[in-house]
Structures are given as C-alpha cells and as structure tokens.
Amino acid sequence: MLRLHLTPADMVRVRVVVLGPLAECQMSLGALQERGADAPLGGWRAASLRRLSPDARTLARGVATPRGHLDLYTLLGPVGDVAEGVDRLLTRGAGLREELSSHPPKFAKLFPAWVLEGFDGRRDASRRLADALTSAYESTVAPYWSRIQSLLTTEQSAAGQLLTRHGVHGLLESLRPWARWDPPFLEIAYTSWSGRDTYHLSGDGIVLAPSFFCRRPQVYQPAGGGEMLIVHPVVREPLAAAQVLRQAGEGPGRALAALLGRTRAAVLEIVQEGATTGEIAGRLGVAPATASEHTGALRAAGLLTSHREGQRVRHSLTPLGLGLLQGAG
C-alpha cells in the first residue's frame, strides 16, 4: 500500500487526462506477458502475439515487464497520435537514459544494444526502435483503439462532472477499489519498487489517468519533482474488458460492406471516434494516398467530414454516416 499525503495546494491541482495510444500500448505489452491471468482476455492475447514482430517482443520484455518498466508516461505526457509519440520519444534520449539509470543495473540488461542505441539517437537503431514500437501498437491496440478511446474519454468526462458536482473529495472517493481516500491521505494498492510506502507531496498536484490495459494502479513522479501521475484501471470487470475487445474486432456489418465495399465500410468504422488519414492507413495497411482516396469518396457522399490539424487531416462521421453505421450494426 502506498500512501500519498496531499496538501491543500495538491487538492486544487487534481486533473484527469487520457495519456493516449502509445501509453495504452505500453500497458498492453505488460498485460500481454501476464500469462494465465485475466482469462477473458485470452482471445486478445493470442491474436496479439500472432501479430507481434520479433523486435516488438524483444522491446516488450524491457519496456513493459509485468512488474516493472520504463516510465514513458511522465516523460512524454499525453500524446494523441502514435507517430507523434514515437517521434517525441526518440528525441528525448537523455530523458530515457536518466529513467533507465534509476532502475537497478540488471534492468538495463533486458534491452539489446539496438534499443539502447535507439535511445541515444543513432539513426539506424532509432528507425528500428520506431518500427518496433509501431508494430507493438498495431498488434495490440490499433484494432480496438476507437472503442478504447471512447471508453477513456467517457471516463474523463464523467470524472470532470463528478469533480464539478462533488469536488475533489468525491472524485478521489470514486477511485475505489483501486484507492481509498482518507484525508489527507490517498492510499493506493501499489508497492513502490523503491520500497517507500509514504510520499508527502509539496503542492504540485496529481494527475489521474484512466487506462484500459492497466491491470493494477501505477504511480509515477518525474525525477526532478512535479505532478504525481496515477495510472489506474478504467475497467473493473474482466468480462467488460473482453466485451470491448470482442466488439472492437467484429468490424462493420455485412450489409454495410455490401453497400460501400469492405474497405470503405472499414473506414467508417475506424473514424466513428475520429481518426487522421495516417491512422486510417495504418489500421487498413494501405498507403496514405489510398486512405485519402477512400475518405474523399465518403466525404463526397456526405458520410464524413474532414478538417486540417496542422499537417494532418482528421476525419469524423456526419450524422448521416453515424446513422448508416449504427443501422448496419
């Protein structure tokens, strides 16, 4: 049990974030290695292992072992796009090295030379590391991301409403059974690898991050101080998790595929929670130009809308597109 002593300043600096697909991927790699646990996830585990590349398997053993892994969460912060997250990670080699040095020396031996060289920014190794991270995401999270993201954003919204109606006390009380709020202590079912069981916070606040693949609470704090990050499970029942993964893998209905074609029906399924052209291409395994061609046809039919976000184009369903998708379902 870990006890966090919150000051009045910490109490007014409590916020809820969705860390994004790369963080969810790291959590999923930890869950993937917990063989024999969470039987309802067996189908997801078997399918993910079949898709995982050898380099992604190697990376998983260090980045996300079930009982200890690199803290990429406080290093990267919330990242809504996998490609952006990978780029940000590879430009912060110093932070990764510092994080690695905070673990026992034997921990670094879990990583082959190409991973460590990738952290240092060596071009070929960085490319290999980026490919391994991308493979890990596409194998474990990408087929289910739209529904997982919807679940996480719904949880974030509900937490915001709870905070507005019942204050921070109500929000912290809602963390049961993963944590217990006994003012001024937040007691979390977590054992720190450093052996500490009590932290006295100094007013920087805490960040609550719900996670779909998180199997038990995880607590992180930047080496130089700052907000304490608490990643906690959003799904309280394993069967509920299995239901999300099962539904996510079903794909669009046959009637919709017959009407639009299988690929364009799949595009509608992907963008129901919003997706960029690059994300659609990655999910479908096609070139961005091909994905753009399909989104253009669906946009012309009035089924989706598109708007530019910097260098990316994000797509979302129109009411007509949503109605068509739901009707087919």
Side-chain angles (χ1 to χ4, degrees):
M1 184 69 68
L2 180 67
R3 304 173 80 232
L4 303 181
H5 182 279
L6 274 62
T7 68
D10 293 302
M11 295 285 289
V12 299
R13 291 181 173 85
V14 177
R15 59 192 184 98
V16 182
V17 304
V18 174
L19 291 174
L22 191 59
E24 206 60 48
C25 174
Q26 187 180 1
M27 282 291 177
S28 77
L29 291 176
L32 197 64
Q33 297 172 77
E34 294 185 341
R35 298 183 181 276
D38 294 332
L41 298 185
W44 163 81
R45 185 174 285 110
S48 297
L49 284 171
R50 285 195 300 270
R51 294 188 291 255
L52 211 61
S53 71
D55 277 356
R57 290 172 182 264
T58 299
L59 188 65
R61 288 193 288 270
V63 170
T65 58
R67 297 192 177 277
H69 48 258
L70 289 180
D71 173 16
L72 303 183
Y73 314 108
T74 55
L75 180 64
L76 297 181
V79 184
D81 180 85
V82 171
E84 177 188 349
V86 172
D87 288 344
R88 191 184 298 183
L89 181 65
L90 295 180
T91 58
R92 299 187 179 182
L96 282 166
R97 279 291 188 177
E98 183 179 356
E99 164 63 20
L100 192 59
S101 68
S102 69
H103 290 262
K106 64 179 181 180
F107 185 76
K109 296 180 180 179
L110 295 173
F111 297 94
W114 62 267
V115 174
L116 300 178
E117 291 171 358
F119 289 169
D120 285 336
R122 299 186 186 181
R123 180 174 297 179
D124 291 344
S126 291
R127 185 67 265 165
R128 186 175 179 181
L129 179 56
D131 288 344
L133 285 167
T134 302
S135 169
Y137 167 73
E138 292 177 348
S139 301
T140 60
V141 176
Y144 320 101
W145 175 242
S146 63
R147 293 182 187 266
I148 292 173
Q149 183 183 38
S150 178
L151 180 67
L152 297 179
T153 54
T154 298
E155 177 75 7
Q156 182 185 32
S157 177
Q161 294 177 14
L162 189 62
L163 190 61
T164 299
R165 295 175 182 174
H166 302 288
V168 69
H169 291 279
L171 177 59
L172 296 179
E173 283 285 357
S174 73
L175 296 177
R176 292 177 180 269
W178 323 120
R180 187 174 76 92
W181 175 232
D182 183 19
F185 288 97
L186 181 64
E187 299 178 344
I188 306 171
Y190 172 76
T191 301
S192 171
W193 63 267
S194 67
R196 291 182 61 177
D197 58 8
T198 302
Y199 280 85
H200 291 267
L201 305 190
S202 55
D204 292 313
I206 62 174
V207 178
L208 302 174
S211 166
F212 180 81
F213 282 108
C214 179
R215 315 315 302 152
R216 59 187 63 83
Q218 303 288 337
V219 182
Y220 306 93
Q221 186 176 39
E227 294 174 309
M228 184 78 78
L229 173 66
I230 303 170
V231 184
H232 64 89
V234 70
V235 178
R236 288 170 167 77
E237 296 291 337
L239 287 176
Q243 178 72 1
V244 170
L245 297 178
R246 182 188 66 81
Q247 290 177 345
E250 286 179 348
R254 291 183 181 177
L256 186 60
L259 177 65
L260 300 175
R262 182 176 299 175
T263 301
R264 288 178 183 172
V267 171
L268 281 190
E269 177 79 7
I270 292 169
V271 304
Q272 63 179 318
E273 302 298 338
T276 66
T277 303
E279 290 169 344
I280 294 170
R283 290 281 300 276
L284 295 178
V286 300
T290 302
S292 182
E293 179 183 345
H294 289 304
T295 57
L298 294 171
R299 184 169 55 250
L303 300 179
L304 60 77
T305 61
S306 308
H307 65 277
R308 184 165 294 279
E309 295 180 348
Q311 296 182 343
R312 297 174 303 201
V313 177
R314 181 167 292 276
H315 310 279
S316 57
L317 295 182
T318 63
L320 177 61
L322 180 61
L324 185 64
L325 186 63
Q326 292 177 337

